[in-house]
Amino acid sequence: MPPLPRRDVKNLVKKLGADSRLAQKKEGLSDITRLCMENPDNLVAIAAAGAIPPLVHLLGRGSELHFENSNYSQNAAGALGMLSGNAANADTIAAAGAIPKLVELLGPASSDCVRQDAALALTSLASHAPVAVAVAAAGAIPPLVQLLGPAFPATVHENAAAALFQLAHSDEIAVAIAAAGAVLPQLRLLRPGSGAPVERNAAYTLMVLIEIEGSAVTIADAGTIPPMVQLLGPGASELEQEAAAKAEIAAGALRILARCAENAATIAAAGAIPVLVRLLGRGSPANVQAAAEAALMDLALHAEHAVTIAAAGAIPVLVQLLGRGSPADVQAATAAALSHISQHADNAVTVAAAGAIPPLVRLLGTAYPDIVRASEAGALQSIAHDNADNIASIAAAAAIPPLLLMIGPGPTETDVQWNAEGAMLALCEDNAKNRASVASIVAVAELARVMLMMGVGGDEDEDDKWDEDGEG
C-alpha cells in the first residue's frame, strides 16, 4: 500500500484527541494501527503528526477505551511498538510516560493478548540502549520473567523472551534478570516445541547470563548444557537462517561454559564435539563456523578434549579454513583453535602434517588484520614447541622475517608482539641456525638504517623487503 498523505494522517490523529467522541477515538486508533502495519513510511508521518502522546494516553486502565474493552490498549501498544522502531520515536514514547503503563499491562489484570503486545512494545523500546535502562527501572523484569512460565501461551513466551533478550544486552540489566530468577524459566523454553524464535531468544539471554562472573557453574548445574547441545542441531553443512542463529548462540554459550573443566567434560559427554566439528564445514555460514571454532578452542584447553577434537577430524577442516576465501574472523578463530589443539604434542605433529604451516606463515603478513596475525603467531608457537621437525618446517616456510617485523623495535605492548615473541622463542631457543638467521636479518636491517641516516641511497624498489603477505 502507498503511504497515506500527511494531511490525511493529521486528520486521523485528531480523532485520538481529548475532545473527540469515543466512537471517533475507536475509529482513529483502528485506522492508525492499520496504517502502521501497511507501510513503514506511514510511521514517520504518524509520529510527525503528533500521534504518540494520545496513543500513550489510550494505554491502560486510565483510558476510557480500555475501560470499555482492553483490546484498545492492545492496539495502542501495538502501534507504539511499531513506532518505537525509530530511536527518536522511542525517546518520545518514553518521555510521554508509556513505559510504566506498558509494564502495568504485563500484569494479572490483562488478557494474554494484551500482555503479548505490551511485551512486544517493550521489546522494541528496549532495543535502544538508553530506553532499555528506563524499561528495567520501571520494573519490567519481574513480570517478564513471570510471563515465561507454563501458564502462558507460546505467543506470550515469545514476546517476553524477546524483551528479556533485548534488555540483556546491558551487563547491569543482565545481572538483574538473573537475580529475578530467569534461568529456570528460560531453560524450560529450550525444550523442543517451544518454537524457533522462543528458543533463540531464551538461548541468547542464557548465554549472556552465563557470562556474569561466578554464574557459569550455577547455570550449568541447573541443566543448561544438554539443551544447548541440542540447539546446535545435527551439525548439517547447510543450515536454514533460524537454525544457524540458534547454532551460533548455542556454540557461544558452550564456549563460555567450557572454560570450567567440569562443564567441558559434561559438554563432551553430551556429544557436542562431533557436532561442532561438522559445523566447521564449508556449507555453514561464517559466523557459525567462527562460533564453533571458538567453542572447540576453549574445549581444547583441556588436554583430553583436544585429543577427542582431533579424533573427530577437526584438524584438516580447520586447516582448510585458513585459506584465502575465509573471512578474517574465521581465520583468527581457526588459528586460535589450532593453537590450543596443538598444545598436545601428537596433535602438533598432525597439524603440521595437514599442511597448516604455509597458510599460517602467509597470514602473518601486514596485509592482514592484527587479530589474524596475532592468532597465527600463537598457533605457530604451539606447533613449534619442543618439536624440531616442526621448527625446521616453520623456518623453511620463511616465518622468521615477518615474525621479527611483528615484534618491531619498540616495547612489547600488543598481542601481535607478544605472540610473535613467543613464536620466535619457540623457534630459536635451542636452534643455533635460526638464531643465526635472526642475527643476519637484524644486522642487515641495522645497516640499512645507518645508510639511510648517512644519506646513502639505494634502489627504491628494494625498500620494501617483503610483499603484502610478509613473504621474502
Side-chain angles (χ1 to χ4, degrees), residues 380-428:
L380 289 170
Q381 178 183 359
S382 295
I383 295 168
H385 181 69
D386 284 342
N387 188 306
D389 290 339
N390 288 352
I391 288 171
S393 297
I394 293 169
I400 291 175
L403 286 170
L404 287 174
L405 192 63
M406 289 165 68
I407 295 169
T412 301
E413 296 176 345
T414 67
D415 287 343
V416 169
Q417 291 173 306
W418 281 113
N419 289 359
E421 280 190 3
M424 286 302 302
L425 285 172
L427 290 171
C428 296

mmCIF file of all heavy atoms in Angstrom, residues 380-428:
data_model
loop_
_atom_site.group_PDB
_atom_site.id
_atom_site.type_symbol
_atom_site.label_atom_id
_atom_site.label_comp_id
_atom_site.label_asym_id
_atom_site.label_seq_id
_atom_site.Cartn_x
_atom_site.Cartn_y
_atom_site.Cartn_z
ATOM 1 N N LEU A 380 51.621 -20.870 15.543
ATOM 2 C CA LEU A 380 52.982 -21.315 15.200
ATOM 3 C C LEU A 380 53.807 -21.596 16.454
ATOM 4 O O LEU A 380 54.616 -22.536 16.479
ATOM 5 C CB LEU A 380 53.673 -20.248 14.344
ATOM 6 C CG LEU A 380 53.131 -20.113 12.907
ATOM 7 C CD1 LEU A 380 53.706 -18.878 12.231
ATOM 8 C CD2 LEU A 380 53.438 -21.370 12.081
ATOM 9 N N GLN A 381 53.600 -20.806 17.498
ATOM 10 C CA GLN A 381 54.312 -21.067 18.757
ATOM 11 C C GLN A 381 53.955 -22.449 19.293
ATOM 12 O O GLN A 381 54.837 -23.219 19.708
ATOM 13 C CB GLN A 381 53.960 -19.996 19.794
ATOM 14 C CG GLN A 381 54.629 -20.221 21.150
ATOM 15 C CD GLN A 381 54.207 -19.189 22.175
ATOM 16 O OE1 GLN A 381 53.431 -18.292 21.895
ATOM 17 N NE2 GLN A 381 54.720 -19.317 23.386
ATOM 18 N N SER A 382 52.659 -22.785 19.292
ATOM 19 C CA SER A 382 52.232 -24.094 19.808
ATOM 20 C C SER A 382 52.765 -25.233 18.950
ATOM 21 O O SER A 382 53.205 -26.266 19.459
ATOM 22 C CB SER A 382 50.701 -24.152 19.871
ATOM 23 O OG SER A 382 50.192 -23.225 20.800
ATOM 24 N N ILE A 383 52.715 -25.049 17.641
ATOM 25 C CA ILE A 383 53.173 -26.104 16.725
ATOM 26 C C ILE A 383 54.679 -26.333 16.877
ATOM 27 O O ILE A 383 55.171 -27.468 16.786
ATOM 28 C CB ILE A 383 52.812 -25.734 15.273
ATOM 29 C CG1 ILE A 383 51.285 -25.704 15.098
ATOM 30 C CG2 ILE A 383 53.421 -26.709 14.277
ATOM 31 C CD1 ILE A 383 50.829 -25.067 13.798
ATOM 32 N N ALA A 384 55.419 -25.256 17.132
ATOM 33 C CA ALA A 384 56.881 -25.360 17.213
ATOM 34 C C ALA A 384 57.380 -25.896 18.548
ATOM 35 O O ALA A 384 58.518 -26.385 18.631
ATOM 36 C CB ALA A 384 57.491 -23.981 16.971
ATOM 37 N N HIS A 385 56.570 -25.823 19.568
ATOM 38 C CA HIS A 385 57.040 -26.122 20.923
ATOM 39 C C HIS A 385 57.647 -27.532 21.024
ATOM 40 O O HIS A 385 56.974 -28.530 20.789
ATOM 41 C CB HIS A 385 55.885 -25.990 21.916
ATOM 42 C CG HIS A 385 56.281 -26.246 23.341
ATOM 43 N ND1 HIS A 385 57.097 -25.392 24.049
ATOM 44 C CD2 HIS A 385 55.998 -27.280 24.179
ATOM 45 C CE1 HIS A 385 57.293 -25.877 25.260
ATOM 46 N NE2 HIS A 385 56.629 -27.024 25.364
ATOM 47 N N ASP A 386 58.946 -27.584 21.346
ATOM 48 C CA ASP A 386 59.650 -28.857 21.579
ATOM 49 C C ASP A 386 59.498 -29.836 20.423
ATOM 50 O O ASP A 386 59.430 -31.053 20.644
ATOM 51 C CB ASP A 386 59.169 -29.518 22.875
ATOM 52 C CG ASP A 386 59.739 -28.830 24.103
ATOM 53 O OD1 ASP A 386 60.740 -28.088 23.976
ATOM 54 O OD2 ASP A 386 59.195 -29.032 25.202
ATOM 55 N N ASN A 387 59.430 -29.344 19.193
ATOM 56 C CA ASN A 387 59.296 -30.237 18.043
ATOM 57 C C ASN A 387 60.270 -29.754 16.956
ATOM 58 O O ASN A 387 59.989 -28.802 16.223
ATOM 59 C CB ASN A 387 57.863 -30.241 17.512
ATOM 60 C CG ASN A 387 57.634 -31.295 16.442
ATOM 61 O OD1 ASN A 387 58.358 -31.339 15.456
ATOM 62 N ND2 ASN A 387 56.628 -32.139 16.632
ATOM 63 N N ALA A 388 61.412 -30.423 16.869
ATOM 64 C CA ALA A 388 62.475 -29.989 15.963
ATOM 65 C C ALA A 388 62.034 -30.007 14.506
ATOM 66 O O ALA A 388 62.379 -29.107 13.726
ATOM 67 C CB ALA A 388 63.705 -30.880 16.153
ATOM 68 N N ASP A 389 61.258 -31.016 14.122
ATOM 69 C CA ASP A 389 60.812 -31.093 12.731
ATOM 70 C C ASP A 389 59.898 -29.921 12.385
ATOM 71 O O ASP A 389 60.024 -29.310 11.308
ATOM 72 C CB ASP A 389 60.084 -32.413 12.480
ATOM 73 C CG ASP A 389 61.027 -33.608 12.503
ATOM 74 O OD1 ASP A 389 62.245 -33.414 12.305
ATOM 75 O OD2 ASP A 389 60.544 -34.730 12.730
ATOM 76 N N ASN A 390 58.986 -29.622 13.293
ATOM 77 C CA ASN A 390 58.074 -28.504 13.039
ATOM 78 C C ASN A 390 58.819 -27.171 13.025
ATOM 79 O O ASN A 390 58.512 -26.275 12.227
ATOM 80 C CB ASN A 390 56.956 -28.468 14.079
ATOM 81 C CG ASN A 390 55.949 -29.594 13.888
ATOM 82 O OD1 ASN A 390 56.009 -30.320 12.895
ATOM 83 N ND2 ASN A 390 55.036 -29.741 14.831
ATOM 84 N N ILE A 391 59.803 -27.031 13.912
ATOM 85 C CA ILE A 391 60.621 -25.810 13.930
ATOM 86 C C ILE A 391 61.311 -25.625 12.588
ATOM 87 O O ILE A 391 61.312 -24.527 12.013
ATOM 88 C CB ILE A 391 61.647 -25.874 15.075
ATOM 89 C CG1 ILE A 391 60.930 -25.707 16.423
ATOM 90 C CG2 ILE A 391 62.726 -24.811 14.910
ATOM 91 C CD1 ILE A 391 61.812 -25.967 17.629
ATOM 92 N N ALA A 392 61.888 -26.697 12.071
ATOM 93 C CA ALA A 392 62.569 -26.627 10.777
ATOM 94 C C ALA A 392 61.594 -26.259 9.657
ATOM 95 O O ALA A 392 61.906 -25.454 8.779
ATOM 96 C CB ALA A 392 63.251 -27.957 10.481
ATOM 97 N N SER A 393 60.384 -26.847 9.710
ATOM 98 C CA SER A 393 59.391 -26.560 8.663
ATOM 99 C C SER A 393 58.932 -25.106 8.717
ATOM 100 O O SER A 393 58.738 -24.466 7.677
ATOM 101 C CB SER A 393 58.184 -27.488 8.826
ATOM 102 O OG SER A 393 58.564 -28.838 8.646
ATOM 103 N N ILE A 394 58.762 -24.582 9.930
ATOM 104 C CA ILE A 394 58.312 -23.194 10.076
ATOM 105 C C ILE A 394 59.392 -22.235 9.578
ATOM 106 O O ILE A 394 59.102 -21.265 8.857
ATOM 107 C CB ILE A 394 57.943 -22.905 11.550
ATOM 108 C CG1 ILE A 394 56.701 -23.710 11.942
ATOM 109 C CG2 ILE A 394 57.695 -21.411 11.775
ATOM 110 C CD1 ILE A 394 56.396 -23.716 13.435
ATOM 111 N N ALA A 395 60.643 -22.516 9.929
ATOM 112 C CA ALA A 395 61.738 -21.669 9.449
ATOM 113 C C ALA A 395 61.864 -21.752 7.928
ATOM 114 O O ALA A 395 62.070 -20.738 7.251
ATOM 115 C CB ALA A 395 63.048 -22.082 10.112
ATOM 116 N N ALA A 396 61.719 -22.963 7.395
ATOM 117 C CA ALA A 396 61.822 -23.144 5.937
ATOM 118 C C ALA A 396 60.694 -22.430 5.197
ATOM 119 O O ALA A 396 60.853 -22.063 4.026
ATOM 120 C CB ALA A 396 61.800 -24.638 5.609
ATOM 121 N N ALA A 397 59.574 -22.238 5.894
ATOM 122 C CA ALA A 397 58.449 -21.527 5.269
ATOM 123 C C ALA A 397 58.606 -20.014 5.351
ATOM 124 O O ALA A 397 57.680 -19.279 5.011
ATOM 125 C CB ALA A 397 57.142 -21.944 5.944
ATOM 126 N N ALA A 398 59.799 -19.568 5.797
ATOM 127 C CA ALA A 398 60.141 -18.137 5.857
ATOM 128 C C ALA A 398 59.318 -17.373 6.880
ATOM 129 O O ALA A 398 58.884 -16.235 6.651
ATOM 130 C CB ALA A 398 60.014 -17.491 4.480
ATOM 131 N N ALA A 399 59.098 -17.994 8.061
ATOM 132 C CA ALA A 399 58.323 -17.332 9.105
ATOM 133 C C ALA A 399 59.114 -16.281 9.870
ATOM 134 O O ALA A 399 58.531 -15.355 10.443
ATOM 135 C CB ALA A 399 57.788 -18.375 10.090
ATOM 136 N N ILE A 400 60.456 -16.424 9.901
ATOM 137 C CA ILE A 400 61.250 -15.562 10.782
ATOM 138 C C ILE A 400 61.185 -14.087 10.396
ATOM 139 O O ILE A 400 60.969 -13.229 11.268
ATOM 140 C CB ILE A 400 62.705 -16.076 10.856
ATOM 141 C CG1 ILE A 400 62.728 -17.415 11.630
ATOM 142 C CG2 ILE A 400 63.600 -15.063 11.543
ATOM 143 C CD1 ILE A 400 64.081 -18.090 11.672
ATOM 144 N N PRO A 401 61.341 -13.701 9.111
ATOM 145 C CA PRO A 401 61.269 -12.269 8.783
ATOM 146 C C PRO A 401 59.957 -11.596 9.201
ATOM 147 O O PRO A 401 59.990 -10.553 9.862
ATOM 148 C CB PRO A 401 61.493 -12.253 7.265
ATOM 149 C CG PRO A 401 62.316 -13.468 7.001
ATOM 150 C CD PRO A 401 61.792 -14.503 7.936
ATOM 151 N N PRO A 402 58.783 -12.159 8.857
ATOM 152 C CA PRO A 402 57.561 -11.461 9.282
ATOM 153 C C PRO A 402 57.365 -11.458 10.790
ATOM 154 O O PRO A 402 56.803 -10.504 11.333
ATOM 155 C CB PRO A 402 56.433 -12.224 8.572
ATOM 156 C CG PRO A 402 57.018 -13.536 8.182
ATOM 157 C CD PRO A 402 58.462 -13.302 7.959
ATOM 158 N N LEU A 403 57.820 -12.506 11.481
ATOM 159 C CA LEU A 403 57.716 -12.505 12.942
ATOM 160 C C LEU A 403 58.571 -11.394 13.546
ATOM 161 O O LEU A 403 58.141 -10.705 14.484
ATOM 162 C CB LEU A 403 58.129 -13.871 13.509
ATOM 163 C CG LEU A 403 57.127 -15.012 13.318
ATOM 164 C CD1 LEU A 403 57.756 -16.354 13.696
ATOM 165 C CD2 LEU A 403 55.857 -14.775 14.139
ATOM 166 N N LEU A 404 59.778 -11.201 13.024
ATOM 167 C CA LEU A 404 60.621 -10.104 13.502
ATOM 168 C C LEU A 404 59.971 -8.750 13.218
ATOM 169 O O LEU A 404 60.028 -7.827 14.038
ATOM 170 C CB LEU A 404 61.995 -10.160 12.838
ATOM 171 C CG LEU A 404 62.930 -11.279 13.312
ATOM 172 C CD1 LEU A 404 64.193 -11.303 12.463
ATOM 173 C CD2 LEU A 404 63.284 -11.100 14.781
ATOM 174 N N LEU A 405 59.348 -8.630 12.063
ATOM 175 C CA LEU A 405 58.661 -7.393 11.714
ATOM 176 C C LEU A 405 57.515 -7.128 12.683
ATOM 177 O O LEU A 405 57.261 -5.975 13.069
ATOM 178 C CB LEU A 405 58.143 -7.490 10.278
ATOM 179 C CG LEU A 405 57.647 -6.209 9.609
ATOM 180 C CD1 LEU A 405 58.779 -5.205 9.466
ATOM 181 C CD2 LEU A 405 57.054 -6.543 8.250
ATOM 182 N N MET A 406 56.822 -8.176 13.090
ATOM 183 C CA MET A 406 55.707 -8.039 14.030
ATOM 184 C C MET A 406 56.196 -7.596 15.410
ATOM 185 O O MET A 406 55.534 -6.807 16.087
ATOM 186 C CB MET A 406 54.954 -9.363 14.144
ATOM 187 C CG MET A 406 54.153 -9.718 12.896
ATOM 188 S SD MET A 406 53.627 -11.462 12.851
ATOM 189 C CE MET A 406 52.440 -11.503 14.186
ATOM 190 N N ILE A 407 57.360 -8.099 15.822
ATOM 191 C CA ILE A 407 57.902 -7.718 17.137
ATOM 192 C C ILE A 407 58.290 -6.255 17.148
ATOM 193 O O ILE A 407 57.961 -5.520 18.073
ATOM 194 C CB ILE A 407 59.110 -8.602 17.504
ATOM 195 C CG1 ILE A 407 58.662 -10.058 17.676
ATOM 196 C CG2 ILE A 407 59.783 -8.101 18.779
ATOM 197 C CD1 ILE A 407 59.806 -11.054 17.787
ATOM 198 N N GLY A 408 58.948 -5.810 16.096
ATOM 199 C CA GLY A 408 59.309 -4.406 15.957
ATOM 200 C C GLY A 408 60.365 -3.966 16.947
ATOM 201 O O GLY A 408 60.781 -4.710 17.832
ATOM 202 N N PRO A 409 60.802 -2.695 16.834
ATOM 203 C CA PRO A 409 61.893 -2.205 17.678
ATOM 204 C C PRO A 409 61.439 -1.726 19.052
ATOM 205 O O PRO A 409 62.240 -1.591 19.962
ATOM 206 C CB PRO A 409 62.453 -1.029 16.863
ATOM 207 C CG PRO A 409 61.273 -0.527 16.085
ATOM 208 C CD PRO A 409 60.434 -1.740 15.775
ATOM 209 N N GLY A 410 60.158 -1.427 19.234
ATOM 210 C CA GLY A 410 59.691 -0.818 20.481
ATOM 211 C C GLY A 410 59.381 -1.847 21.548
ATOM 212 O O GLY A 410 59.594 -3.056 21.381
ATOM 213 N N PRO A 411 58.855 -1.366 22.689
ATOM 214 C CA PRO A 411 58.490 -2.285 23.784
ATOM 215 C C PRO A 411 57.317 -3.182 23.384
ATOM 216 O O PRO A 411 56.509 -2.821 22.526
ATOM 217 C CB PRO A 411 58.100 -1.338 24.920
ATOM 218 C CG PRO A 411 57.691 -0.069 24.235
ATOM 219 C CD PRO A 411 58.575 0.030 23.035
ATOM 220 N N THR A 412 57.256 -4.346 24.031
ATOM 221 C CA THR A 412 56.182 -5.302 23.731
ATOM 222 C C THR A 412 54.916 -4.878 24.462
ATOM 223 O O THR A 412 54.856 -4.913 25.691
ATOM 224 C CB THR A 412 56.606 -6.717 24.157
ATOM 225 O OG1 THR A 412 57.791 -7.059 23.460
ATOM 226 C CG2 THR A 412 55.511 -7.721 23.829
ATOM 227 N N GLU A 413 53.900 -4.481 23.679
ATOM 228 C CA GLU A 413 52.682 -3.964 24.291
ATOM 229 C C GLU A 413 51.412 -4.572 23.718
ATOM 230 O O GLU A 413 50.349 -4.475 24.328
ATOM 231 C CB GLU A 413 52.625 -2.439 24.109
ATOM 232 C CG GLU A 413 53.751 -1.691 24.825
ATOM 233 C CD GLU A 413 53.717 -0.203 24.541
ATOM 234 O OE1 GLU A 413 53.011 0.199 23.590
ATOM 235 O OE2 GLU A 413 54.379 0.559 25.277
ATOM 236 N N THR A 414 51.487 -5.208 22.562
ATOM 237 C CA THR A 414 50.273 -5.690 21.898
ATOM 238 C C THR A 414 50.298 -7.217 21.801
ATOM 239 O O THR A 414 51.342 -7.858 21.938
ATOM 240 C CB THR A 414 50.162 -5.113 20.483
ATOM 241 O OG1 THR A 414 51.220 -5.657 19.665
ATOM 242 C CG2 THR A 414 50.264 -3.595 20.503
ATOM 243 N N ASP A 415 49.111 -7.798 21.525
ATOM 244 C CA ASP A 415 49.022 -9.247 21.331
ATOM 245 C C ASP A 415 49.854 -9.700 20.143
ATOM 246 O O ASP A 415 50.427 -10.796 20.152
ATOM 247 C CB ASP A 415 47.558 -9.657 21.120
ATOM 248 C CG ASP A 415 46.740 -9.592 22.405
ATOM 249 O OD1 ASP A 415 47.347 -9.555 23.493
ATOM 250 O OD2 ASP A 415 45.495 -9.568 22.314
ATOM 251 N N VAL A 416 49.916 -8.856 19.106
ATOM 252 C CA VAL A 416 50.737 -9.190 17.937
ATOM 253 C C VAL A 416 52.188 -9.374 18.374
ATOM 254 O O VAL A 416 52.855 -10.364 18.015
ATOM 255 C CB VAL A 416 50.621 -8.090 16.861
ATOM 256 C CG1 VAL A 416 51.672 -8.296 15.771
ATOM 257 C CG2 VAL A 416 49.226 -8.092 16.244
ATOM 258 N N GLN A 417 52.698 -8.434 19.153
ATOM 259 C CA GLN A 417 54.092 -8.520 19.602
ATOM 260 C C GLN A 417 54.306 -9.692 20.555
ATOM 261 O O GLN A 417 55.284 -10.437 20.430
ATOM 262 C CB GLN A 417 54.486 -7.202 20.284
ATOM 263 C CG GLN A 417 54.583 -6.022 19.332
ATOM 264 C CD GLN A 417 54.799 -4.716 20.072
ATOM 265 O OE1 GLN A 417 54.044 -4.362 20.967
ATOM 266 N NE2 GLN A 417 55.862 -3.998 19.703
ATOM 267 N N TRP A 418 53.412 -9.853 21.522
ATOM 268 C CA TRP A 418 53.567 -10.949 22.496
ATOM 269 C C TRP A 418 53.614 -12.308 21.791
ATOM 270 O O TRP A 418 54.476 -13.148 22.084
ATOM 271 C CB TRP A 418 52.417 -10.935 23.490
ATOM 272 C CG TRP A 418 52.533 -9.919 24.596
ATOM 273 C CD1 TRP A 418 51.751 -8.836 24.806
ATOM 274 C CD2 TRP A 418 53.524 -9.901 25.644
ATOM 275 N NE1 TRP A 418 52.175 -8.133 25.909
ATOM 276 C CE2 TRP A 418 53.263 -8.773 26.443
ATOM 277 C CE3 TRP A 418 54.597 -10.725 25.975
ATOM 278 C CZ2 TRP A 418 54.036 -8.438 27.558
ATOM 279 C CZ3 TRP A 418 55.368 -10.393 27.090
ATOM 280 C CH2 TRP A 418 55.088 -9.267 27.861
ATOM 281 N N ASN A 419 52.666 -12.534 20.907
ATOM 282 C CA ASN A 419 52.590 -13.838 20.248
ATOM 283 C C ASN A 419 53.757 -14.054 19.284
ATOM 284 O O ASN A 419 54.275 -15.174 19.154
ATOM 285 C CB ASN A 419 51.259 -13.999 19.515
ATOM 286 C CG ASN A 419 50.097 -14.153 20.484
ATOM 287 O OD1 ASN A 419 50.290 -14.152 21.702
ATOM 288 N ND2 ASN A 419 48.889 -14.283 19.968
ATOM 289 N N ALA A 420 54.182 -12.985 18.622
ATOM 290 C CA ALA A 420 55.343 -13.107 17.735
ATOM 291 C C ALA A 420 56.593 -13.416 18.550
ATOM 292 O O ALA A 420 57.424 -14.246 18.137
ATOM 293 C CB ALA A 420 55.526 -11.826 16.924
ATOM 294 N N GLU A 421 56.751 -12.776 19.694
ATOM 295 C CA GLU A 421 57.892 -13.082 20.562
ATOM 296 C C GLU A 421 57.854 -14.540 21.025
ATOM 297 O O GLU A 421 58.886 -15.226 21.055
ATOM 298 C CB GLU A 421 57.898 -12.154 21.787
ATOM 299 C CG GLU A 421 58.461 -10.785 21.512
ATOM 300 C CD GLU A 421 58.677 -9.989 22.783
ATOM 301 O OE1 GLU A 421 58.428 -10.532 23.893
ATOM 302 O OE2 GLU A 421 59.096 -8.828 22.686
ATOM 303 N N GLY A 422 56.671 -15.002 21.401
ATOM 304 C CA GLY A 422 56.547 -16.403 21.831
ATOM 305 C C GLY A 422 56.932 -17.366 20.731
ATOM 306 O O GLY A 422 57.621 -18.370 20.967
ATOM 307 N N ALA A 423 56.480 -17.066 19.501
ATOM 308 C CA ALA A 423 56.834 -17.930 18.365
ATOM 309 C C ALA A 423 58.337 -17.900 18.115
ATOM 310 O O ALA A 423 58.958 -18.953 17.854
ATOM 311 C CB ALA A 423 56.069 -17.486 17.121
ATOM 312 N N MET A 424 58.957 -16.724 18.187
ATOM 313 C CA MET A 424 60.399 -16.626 17.965
ATOM 314 C C MET A 424 61.185 -17.379 19.040
ATOM 315 O O MET A 424 62.204 -18.029 18.745
ATOM 316 C CB MET A 424 60.827 -15.157 17.934
ATOM 317 C CG MET A 424 60.430 -14.426 16.658
ATOM 318 S SD MET A 424 61.102 -15.188 15.159
ATOM 319 C CE MET A 424 62.863 -15.127 15.512
ATOM 320 N N LEU A 425 60.749 -17.308 20.279
ATOM 321 C CA LEU A 425 61.423 -18.066 21.341
ATOM 322 C C LEU A 425 61.349 -19.562 21.068
ATOM 323 O O LEU A 425 62.324 -20.296 21.252
ATOM 324 C CB LEU A 425 60.792 -17.738 22.697
ATOM 325 C CG LEU A 425 61.162 -16.373 23.290
ATOM 326 C CD1 LEU A 425 60.314 -16.090 24.528
ATOM 327 C CD2 LEU A 425 62.647 -16.346 23.663
ATOM 328 N N ALA A 426 60.158 -20.022 20.636
ATOM 329 C CA ALA A 426 60.000 -21.446 20.328
ATOM 330 C C ALA A 426 60.898 -21.869 19.172
ATOM 331 O O ALA A 426 61.435 -22.981 19.150
ATOM 332 C CB ALA A 426 58.539 -21.760 20.016
ATOM 333 N N LEU A 427 61.091 -20.971 18.207
ATOM 334 C CA LEU A 427 61.900 -21.298 17.034
ATOM 335 C C LEU A 427 63.401 -21.236 17.316
ATOM 336 O O LEU A 427 64.183 -21.972 16.700
ATOM 337 C CB LEU A 427 61.574 -20.334 15.893
ATOM 338 C CG LEU A 427 60.195 -20.474 15.237
ATOM 339 C CD1 LEU A 427 59.948 -19.314 14.282
ATOM 340 C CD2 LEU A 427 60.066 -21.808 14.504
ATOM 341 N N CYS A 428 63.816 -20.390 18.247
ATOM 342 C CA CYS A 428 65.249 -20.089 18.399
ATOM 343 C C CYS A 428 65.870 -20.616 19.688
ATOM 344 O O CYS A 428 67.117 -20.636 19.795
ATOM 345 C CB CYS A 428 65.469 -18.581 18.337
ATOM 346 S SG CYS A 428 65.036 -17.863 16.745
#
